[in-house]
Amino acid sequence: MRWQIDNSRPVYIQIMEHIRNAVLTEEFPPGCRIPSVRDLAGAANVNPNTMQRALTELEEDGLLISNGTLGRFVT
């Protein structure tokens, strides 16, 4: 995934958009386990707390589901 983060809008919203796009283009197909918060944060060069916020929002939107210690999966 190619991350293009700018300062014009909140970073967590941009992350959410990138992940939604990855799901729509099936880079992350349904049932796919997404990388960990730390792995995604490192790839996007953002704070892990910011990445966690974006992923939590996507869970609340129903796009992702958390499966305890197994990680997050695309619904």
Side-chain angles (χ1 to χ4, degrees), residues 43 53 59:
R53 180 175 180 187
E59 281 183 39

Side-chain angles (χ1 to χ4, degrees), residues 3-62:
W3 298 93
Q4 294 178 341
I5 307 292
D6 61 49
N7 293 326
S8 65
R9 297 181 303 132
V11 173
Y12 82 97
I13 291 175
Q14 294 177 65
I15 292 169
M16 290 173 62
E17 291 170 352
H18 280 283
I19 294 174
R20 276 192 190 109
N21 187 50
V23 170
L24 289 173
T25 61
E26 294 194 358
E27 184 175 344
F28 294 143
C32 172
R33 181 180 178 276
I34 65 167
S36 70
V37 170
R38 293 206 180 273
D39 289 344
L40 286 171
N45 199 29
V46 299
N47 186 299
N49 292 330
T50 303
M51 184 62 69
Q52 177 66 41
R53 180 175 180 187
L55 295 177
T56 299
E57 293 277 338
L58 290 170
E59 281 183 39
E60 291 174 4
D61 290 348

